[in-house]
Amino acid sequence: MTTVTPGSGNQSAAVIEQSLLAFGLGIDPAIRNDIKNAYQYASLVASRRFPNEGQTEQWFAQFIDVMRDCGWVALKRTYERERAQTQSLKLGAIAFKGMKVVGQAVLSNPLTDALAQLAADALEGLGQVTEAQDILLRNLKEKKTGTVGLGACIQNEAGEVILAMSAIDSTPFADHELNTVVFEWKSTAIELYTGSAVFAFNSDLYGSVRADIRNKLQDRAVRNVLDYDI
């Protein structure tokens, strides 16, 4: 559908509610703020309606519906049950796999590879930023949500913004110690739900709801977003 030349260095990532979202080079700061606000708003709506463990499938469907209302066109979405082939399942590996599979279904190989690299760099960076880990773990504990997410965004030379993301059922990981990076938790669960999607951003449509979403987030005094470089 579109191609991109991956950059190197100076990418950034953000902890947004219970998700980790990476941004590629060249994304305009104003657009990056729009992406974060839409993603956070959709996460909050989904978590309010489906906050419990074992509700990731419903959470993901609600998240997609809200993102669509915020100007994000879902190009592809998938639902999978990940079955353990070894003695443990790893959150990071499952989310990464889900993003690549859904990306390869609708995007060019260079774009899929660039999104996957961004996600990998964000995962590595998360392990080096204690504050980011603390915010993510706090969000998971305080909200008692059963879903965590991983995503990556890229803007091509034509200005098109593509987002690939995965939502994962964290229930089988809930009993593990919280002193490790959340995406490196392991579980011996036999099966794990993963939802993945690729979106394209319609900034004109988002413009009609931008102020409303910003005001709602400000009124709620949301503090649960932290940016860091990777």
Side-chain angles (χ1 to χ4, degrees), residues 53-188:
E53 296 178 349
Q55 291 187 315
T56 296
E57 187 168 355
Q58 297 96 318
W59 186 99
F60 187 58
Q62 181 67 70
F63 177 89
I64 290 177
D65 286 345
V66 178
M67 287 290 279
R68 184 183 296 114
D69 291 339
C70 293
W72 289 89
V73 180
L75 304 178
K76 178 74 174 179
R77 57 179 174 179
T78 64
Y79 303 90
E80 294 185 10
R81 293 284 177 179
E82 181 78 18
R83 297 193 66 84
Q85 300 298 320
T86 61
Q87 293 184 343
S88 67
L89 293 169
K90 242 182 181 182
L91 272 174
I94 295 167
F96 187 82
K97 174 185 174 183
M99 282 183 54
K100 288 209 69 172
V101 168
V102 75
Q104 289 169 345
V106 293
L107 303 174
S108 66
N109 288 334
L111 182 56
T112 300
D113 291 344
L115 287 165
Q117 186 61 55
L118 277 175
D121 289 344
L123 286 169
E124 181 179 355
L126 178 66
Q128 302 171 9
V129 183
T130 301
E131 186 179 3
Q133 295 175 39
D134 290 344
I135 287 180
L136 185 54
L137 295 174
R138 185 195 70 201
N139 291 348
L140 286 166
K141 290 178 67 177
E142 290 183 356
K143 300 174 188 302
K144 300 185 185 302
T145 182
T147 304
V148 295
L150 173 67
C153 286
I154 283 179
Q155 184 176 19
N156 66 8
E157 293 181 357
E160 182 181 30
V161 175
I162 299 295
L163 163 65
M165 61 87 64
S166 287
I168 314 154
D169 180 5
S170 65
T171 303
F173 301 82
D175 293 334
H176 286 252
E177 293 294 327
L178 300 183
N179 60 357
T180 58
V181 179
V182 70
F183 283 97
E184 293 304 316
W185 286 353
K186 294 182 179 180
S187 172
T188 55

Side-chain angles (χ1 to χ4, degrees), residues 5 10 19 24 151 169 175 210 215:
T5 301
N10 299 319
S19 294
D169 180 5
D175 293 334
R210 178 185 290 112
N215 291 338

Side-chain angles (χ1 to χ4, degrees), residues 11-60:
Q11 295 99 334
S12 65
V15 172
I16 302 176
E17 298 303 319
Q18 65 268 35
S19 294
L20 177 63
L21 186 59
F23 299 90
L25 290 171
I27 298 182
D28 182 89
I31 294 178
R32 189 162 60 243
N33 285 334
D34 286 345
I35 296 168
K36 288 189 292 186
N37 285 346
Y39 195 103
Q40 184 175 21
Y41 181 71
S43 296
L44 289 168
V45 172
S47 294
R48 182 178 180 83
R49 296 189 180 183
F50 301 104
N52 300 324
E53 296 178 349
Q55 291 187 315
T56 296
E57 187 168 355
Q58 297 96 318
W59 186 99
F60 187 58

